Amino acid sequence: MASPTVENYLKALLSLSRERDTVTISDLSAELGVSKPSANSMIKRLHERGLLEYERYRPLRLTPAGKKQAALIVRKHRLTEMFLVQKMGFGWEEVHPIAEQIEHIDSPALFERMDQLLGSPDFDPHGSPIPDRNGNMSAKVGMRLSGCRAGDVVILMGLENSSPEFLNYLNEKGLRLDAVIKVEGREEYDGSLHVAYRGRELTLPRSTAEQLLVTRQFPAPASDSATR
């Protein structure tokens, strides 16, 4: 059984490797908020365990075994978040710190039962993919709302930012996953979008629209009422 610290390093390495082409010790220490010497020490331990490819002055890469172990930690985290929302009534903005603790429990039966009770979901409450039992994880679904044009009708499928602050902001705007959004127009000056959804009309800053992952609705609704 890996320690919570080891699991956090593996999870951080997996996350960074999915965001960028190369991962360095500096990237890892910044991601975890630890010193470079601490990160370097852990990197050597992971290398010795066969979980990380490590050569001095070369990018860090998880081995297949390291990727699988990291993905299974992510699986426990995201299943827990979904269980807390779907079965216990927590808000999507509340679940991350709880799941951070529960993900370190070494009980395959517990998480298998969670998966069964939830009906084996593919995505967590924030639209992020849940790895399968073998550690396979698909990419996030959708394009950024900021890339849509006036007249596009899209469905909110996921988020690039799941911080409590951002989720509370979306709560205030009444935005949830599966919301059908019509892009009414765009401001040329700053790229903000005028949108309509669920009977509301408002302007979303470009910085917000860049964090929302959407997919186009097919077929498009016959009238604006379909977005309400």
Side-chain angles (χ1 to χ4, degrees):
M1 176 181 174
S3 70
T5 300
V6 168
E7 292 185 338
N8 287 338
Y9 269 86
L10 290 173
K11 195 170 63 166
L13 283 162
L14 181 64
S15 176
L16 289 168
S17 68
R18 290 171 67 85
E19 294 172 0
R20 58 194 74 185
D21 294 331
T22 61
V23 180
T24 66
I25 292 177
S26 295
D27 295 331
L28 185 59
S29 63
E31 177 76 6
L32 291 169
V34 300
S35 68
K36 289 183 182 179
S38 294
N40 192 56
S41 176
M42 179 58 74
I43 284 166
K44 292 177 180 177
R45 289 173 59 189
L46 296 176
H47 175 67
E48 290 169 358
R49 296 186 186 188
L51 300 174
L52 182 70
E53 296 177 7
Y54 170 66
E55 291 183 45
R56 202 172 181 186
Y57 306 122
R58 299 292 297 274
L60 305 174
R61 290 186 177 87
L62 289 168
T63 64
K67 286 181 181 178
K68 180 176 181 179
Q69 189 165 328
L72 292 178
I73 299 162
V74 173
R75 172 177 170 80
K76 292 192 291 182
H77 181 102
R78 293 180 178 173
L79 277 174
T80 298
E81 288 190 332
M82 194 59 140
F83 189 85
L84 290 169
V85 170
Q86 293 291 330
K87 299 298 183 181
M88 301 187 71
F90 282 87
W92 64 345
E93 76 283 0
E94 299 178 288
V95 295
H96 179 74
I98 304 172
E100 283 283 292
Q101 299 176 62
I102 295 176
E103 71 184 29
H104 300 300
I105 295 175
D106 184 26
S107 176
L110 171 64
F111 295 99
E112 183 65 24
R113 182 63 58 86
M114 275 189 192
D115 187 55
Q116 292 172 0
L117 290 173
L118 291 167
S120 298
D122 294 321
F123 300 94
D124 75 3
H126 313 116
S128 296
I130 298 175
D132 66 19
R133 294 174 181 83
N134 296 313
N136 299 313
M137 179 162 53
S138 60
K140 285 188 176 181
V141 173
M143 59 185 179
R144 296 176 190 269
L145 179 62
S146 57
C148 294
R149 299 172 295 179
D152 283 347
V153 178
V154 297
I155 301 172
L156 180 58
M157 301 296 294
L159 310 174
E160 288 282 27
N161 178 359
S162 57
S163 69
E165 295 79 11
F166 187 65
L167 295 173
N168 279 318
Y169 170 81
L170 296 183
N171 287 343
E172 293 172 2
K173 302 300 182 185
L175 268 173
R176 293 284 185 175
L177 295 188
D178 297 325
V180 180
I181 303 169
K182 181 176 182 182
V183 179
E184 302 283 8
R186 177 193 298 276
E187 293 290 342
E188 292 186 10
Y189 174 69
D190 61 3
S192 57
L193 295 181
H194 303 292
V195 301
Y197 62 93
R198 293 179 176 172
R200 304 181 65 163
E201 295 183 2
L202 77 158
T203 299
L204 293 176
R206 182 180 180 84
S207 59
T208 297
E210 287 179 342
Q211 303 299 319
L212 303 179
L213 300 176
V214 300
T215 184
R216 285 190 174 89
Q217 184 183 38
F218 294 103
S223 69
D224 288 354
S225 63
T227 67
R228 304 182 185 279

